[in-house]
Structures are given as structure tokens and as C-alpha cells.
Amino acid sequence: MYRVAVCDDDQDVREEVSRLIREWKPEIQVECFESGESLAKTYASYHAVFLDIDMKGMNGIETGKWIRKRDRETKIVYLTAYQDYVAGAFGVHAFQYLLKPVKKEDIRKVLEDIFSYMHVPEKRPVLDFQTVNGLLCVPAEEIYYFEYISRRVEIVTADGVYAMAEKIGRVAKRMKSYGFSMPHQSFVVNMLHVRNILTGRILLDNGMEIPLAQKRQKEWKQELITYLSEKMGEKP
């Protein structure tokens, strides 16, 4: 049985969204919560969470980050009355954004996307690199960043660090289509792992930090917003 949570501090919104979900597929188990705190208190594994952004107490961004620390699989769908909230959701990796008042066709479309997505095996592109110690094959999503240091490029992955004789510019060009970008002349970062942007540096979801060049800040932030928007299927 599919389980879905609806979290919104507006009772009318909770009731309307849950009604539309059940109308689309009556067998879905829908649980409603009036705050981020109440959802966190009894959180169980859900296939999807419809989450209001602008709530008192724990807002939707904070609640989404709390969920992501415990559940990387659930699909988070943000409900918002404002269009410009994409940049605030670093690290949450939302599945979609829906504008209020929520429309029936929008709910149906996102539900179809969520549950059809669950039945399609996720393609994980595996890339190969010629390192100083031999051929390395690694999924793109497991690479955090590349760093040019001591005339070599280091590949920082979830399993370790590997070095190869390569130019950082060539790496940036090759990795662009996989969601990587160049925030600094010596770094190419996987935007999938960006958690937050701080002054002059980027915080990744594994706790690592890499520099963000001052002259690149505005342009790079827009690249990240575009990446997040495209990942969620919306135009930036």
C-alpha cells in the first residue's frame, strides 16, 4: 500500500490535497499533519510528502531537511504560494513544487510522475577515469568534486580520493552534462551534493566545504538554481 503525508498549517489545504490524492487513487493511505513538528514527532516512511513551505515553527525548508537526514527516498512535493522558493531548498532535493491554490490537474500529474517513477529503475551513469593507479569506474552521483592540485586533478568520491593527470577545464567540460559545475578555477563540484552556499564557500551534504570564487558567485548561484529547477522538471 502506498503511504502519503500531507503537512500544512491550513486545514482547508490539508483537506483539499488529501481529498484530491484519494480521488486519484482511493487505496492510497493519506496521513495529515498541521505542522513540521507534528510530522517529525511521528514520522514514518512515506512514498511521498506534500509539504507546505510557509509554516509557523518548523517551516517547510527546515522540515524537508529534517526528513532528508532520515529518509533519502521519499519524494518531497512542496506546496507554496510563492514562485521564488527554489533557492531556499538546498539539500532537500524536492521532487516538485506546486503553487497554491492547488489544482486538480497538477496533483494528478505529480502523483502520476511519482508513482511511475518508482517503477522505473533509476539509471546511474557510471564513468571511467584513468588515474595514476589505474582505471577507476565510479557512478557520477558518488563523486563530490574534482580539485586541481599539484598539477593533478583529484577525484573526491564517497569511497576515497583518486588522482589523475588531467586539466581541470577538460574535466569541467566532460562533467557538465552530469550536473557538475565550476565555482572556482581549481574546482568542479557535483551540484547534486550542494547543501548550502555560504560566504565565499559551498557546503556539501557530507560536511565538506569548497571555495566559491567571488567573481563567480552570482553566475554560479544562478547555475545551481537552473540545475535544481530542471531537476524538478520546471523552467528556471
Side-chain angles (χ1 to χ4, degrees):
M1 177 182 293
Y2 292 125
R3 302 180 69 244
V4 174
V6 178
C7 182
D8 197 299
D9 57 6
D10 186 322
Q11 182 177 350
D12 291 338
V13 174
R14 293 197 305 271
E15 292 178 352
E16 176 67 4
V17 172
S18 59
R19 181 186 68 81
L20 291 173
I21 293 172
R22 293 190 182 99
E23 184 179 293
W24 180 73
K25 194 177 288 290
E27 62 268 27
I28 291 180
Q29 181 181 339
V30 183
E31 298 178 21
C32 293
F33 301 89
E34 62 183 12
S35 67
E37 289 85 351
S38 62
L39 173 63
K41 186 176 181 180
T42 60
Y43 187 81
S45 179
Y46 297 100
H47 293 92
V49 177
F50 286 78
L51 185 59
D52 179 29
I53 287 184
D54 190 18
M55 295 188 292
K56 296 178 181 178
M58 281 178 65
N59 63 34
I61 302 299
E62 295 168 338
T63 304
K65 290 181 178 180
W66 183 93
I67 291 172
R68 274 291 169 258
K69 289 180 180 179
R70 295 155 179 82
D71 188 345
R72 297 187 64 85
E73 299 300 322
T74 189
K75 305 299 182 291
I76 294 177
V77 178
Y78 273 125
L79 307 173
T80 177
Y82 309 97
Q83 294 186 5
D84 192 23
Y85 261 113
V86 175
F90 298 131
V92 176
H93 304 306
F95 186 81
Q96 185 61 280
Y97 284 75
L98 295 181
L99 287 177
K100 296 179 181 180
V102 179
K103 298 178 181 179
K104 178 179 179 178
E105 56 268 29
D106 291 339
I107 287 284
R108 293 180 66 91
K109 177 64 167 60
V110 77
L111 288 170
E112 289 170 358
D113 289 345
I114 287 172
F115 292 108
S116 63
Y117 178 87
M118 288 179 180
H119 291 94
V120 177
E122 186 177 357
K123 294 182 179 179
R124 303 175 70 217
V126 177
L127 307 177
D128 59 88
F129 301 92
Q130 188 62 50
T131 74
V132 296
N133 294 316
L135 187 66
L136 170 69
C137 295
V138 60
E141 65 184 42
E142 293 185 9
I143 301 173
Y144 290 106
Y145 64 89
F146 298 84
E147 179 182 4
Y148 182 74
I149 183 171
S150 300
R151 297 184 179 181
R152 290 181 175 178
V153 172
E154 290 190 347
I155 310 169
V156 180
T157 76
D159 294 326
V161 180
Y162 307 86
M164 62 179 177
E166 183 60 276
K167 295 181 179 179
I168 194 70
R170 288 170 59 90
V171 172
K173 185 176 181 180
R174 177 186 178 187
M175 300 304 296
K176 184 176 181 179
S177 63
Y178 297 101
F180 287 70
S181 183
M182 200 171 187
H184 184 280
Q185 63 179 2
S186 298
F187 290 83
V188 175
V189 65
N190 188 345
M191 291 186 283
L192 175 67
H193 291 296
V194 172
R195 179 178 178 183
N196 206 348
I197 298 178
L198 307 175
T199 304
R201 62 193 194 279
I202 298 165
L203 178 63
L204 304 184
D205 56 16
N206 65 347
M208 293 180 174
E209 292 185 5
I210 63 173
L212 173 58
Q214 184 175 2
K215 64 180 181 180
R216 286 276 291 146
Q217 286 194 46
K218 184 176 181 181
E219 180 183 356
W220 193 82
K221 286 180 181 179
Q222 186 56 52
E223 285 184 28
L224 181 60
I225 290 173
T226 299
Y227 166 79
L228 292 172
S229 298
E230 291 177 348
K231 187 174 176 61
M232 292 182 293
E234 295 198 350
K235 295 182 180 179

